[in-house]
Amino acid sequence: MKEFLKSAAFKILVAVALFLIGIMIYAASTGGVSTIPATITGAIVTPLQSLASAVSDGFDSFVGIFTDSNALREENEALQEEINELRKNQVETDELRRLNELYREFLELKEENPDYQFADGRVISMDPADKYGNFTIDAGSLKGVKADDPVITPDGLVGVVYEVGLNYAKVRTILDPATQVSAYVSRTGSGGVTGGSASLAEEGKLRLNLLPRDSGASSGDYVATSGRGGIYPEQLLIGTIVDIQPESDALTMYAVIEPFADLKNLTAVFVITGFDGQGENVPE
């Protein structure tokens, strides 16, 4: 509207209106409007009618644009709601797919280990500042989870539960030095104890300590749990040996292990809440 008031058309309209007012005043003083020649009247009124029509059309167009804008906004809002609903449905579909995959893996593990009792859990928090990758899951005592329960994925051992609430549990990974697991080299049968270190944890690896010098272990060998201590069942896969080094005492060796489980990208795990032999031969 401000642009129209400043336009040349508006100025012409005002000038013509003033001119007409002058003619009307003149006609009134000389005997009436009928004294004004028709040709003059037509010449003046016709352009004014056209201008008025143009202004009216412009106003109608403006109102039409405004109305169309409201309709478009309502249509966009409806489309956005539809998009949001589709996104929500996609999230639900992804969740169902994840659960389906999780339960499929659960059934496979259950078939392979009929004595195992499981609780599934989703990783709900992981401190990025924790160099060992320790994390929290959404399964606790209400699902039968307790301290010292092993935590696994279908790929291998992940760690052990060290704190439990009603609906959560905190897990310490096998990269943490505080997690020590009796293990052995599957090819040679040589036994040792796993342990972590800050430097190895940065590479996502851990150690198998106390290997005899004549163990015969070498890179590429698999390491699994031995079952000693009653916390971990036998033959849970841990990882692959990628290096063998002598200990400083020159009496034993240690192996560097790359875990089978992808500890950096965990989203869901299984807690073994019971198995044959659990709690047996636990040191006092």
Side-chain angles (χ1 to χ4, degrees):
M1 183 60 72
K2 290 182 179 180
E3 288 74 9
F4 175 71
L5 294 177
K6 295 179 180 180
S7 66
F10 177 74
K11 293 177 181 179
I12 293 172
L13 182 62
V14 171
V16 173
L18 292 174
F19 178 70
L20 282 177
I21 292 171
I23 290 177
M24 293 174 66
I25 293 172
Y26 170 78
S29 64
T30 58
V33 178
S34 61
T35 60
I36 303 174
T39 55
I40 296 177
T41 303
I44 295 173
V45 172
T46 299
L48 286 177
Q49 289 175 335
S50 299
L51 182 59
S53 177
V55 171
S56 176
D57 291 343
F59 182 74
D60 290 342
S61 298
F62 173 76
V63 172
I65 291 172
F66 183 74
T67 304
D68 291 343
S69 177
N70 285 338
L72 286 173
R73 183 169 63 251
E74 291 175 359
E75 184 178 351
N76 285 338
E77 289 176 353
L79 287 173
Q80 188 60 51
E81 289 179 3
E82 185 176 348
I83 290 171
N84 291 340
E85 186 65 23
L86 289 172
R87 287 172 176 168
K88 180 181 178 182
N89 291 339
Q90 182 62 49
V91 170
E92 292 175 351
T93 300
D94 291 341
E95 177 65 9
L96 289 174
R97 186 183 297 111
R98 185 196 70 82
L99 288 174
N100 182 62
E101 178 66 17
L102 188 67
Y103 291 137
R104 183 187 66 78
E105 294 171 346
F106 168 82
L107 290 175
E108 289 178 356
L109 283 170
K110 189 67 177 175
E111 289 175 359
E112 294 172 1
N113 306 278
D115 62 309
Y116 287 6
Q117 298 173 31
F118 292 105
D120 63 282
R122 173 186 286 183
V123 177
I124 56 175
S125 71
M126 182 178 290
D127 184 358
D130 186 340
K131 65 185 69 175
Y132 303 116
N134 298 332
F135 57 91
T136 303
I137 60 175
D138 63 354
S141 58
L142 292 177
K143 284 191 172 183
V145 177
K146 54 193 178 299
D148 291 336
D149 280 349
V151 179
I152 65 171
T153 69
D155 296 322
L157 181 64
V158 169
V160 64
V161 173
Y162 69 93
E163 182 180 321
V164 181
L166 288 175
N167 58 358
Y168 76 90
K170 294 186 177 182
V171 179
R172 191 170 57 235
T173 72
I174 54 178
L175 302 182
D176 194 310
T179 305
Q180 297 185 347
V181 183
S182 293
Y184 73 103
V185 179
S186 63
R187 183 177 63 84
T188 66
S190 305
V193 178
T194 69
S197 69
S199 58
L200 283 176
E202 291 180 357
E203 302 175 13
K205 299 180 176 67
L206 68 154
R207 291 171 46 145
L208 177 61
N209 300 312
L210 305 177
L211 279 174
R213 291 188 65 85
D214 59 353
S215 68
S218 62
S219 295
D221 286 342
Y222 290 171
V223 177
T225 57
S226 66
R228 294 177 182 176
I231 294 178
Y232 305 91
E234 294 181 13
Q235 298 183 350
L236 285 179
L237 291 175
I238 298 175
T240 305
I241 294 177
V242 294
D243 192 20
I244 299 282
Q245 295 291 335
E247 289 281 12
S248 57
D249 60 10
L251 299 176
T252 57
M253 309 281 287
Y254 72 87
V256 178
I257 305 170
E258 184 171 352
F260 288 122
D262 186 359
L263 301 180
K264 293 183 178 180
N265 299 293
L266 294 172
T267 57
V269 295
F270 295 106
V271 182
I272 302 177
T273 58
F275 60 92
D276 289 348
Q278 185 178 30
E280 295 179 4
N281 303 315
V282 177
E284 296 294 336

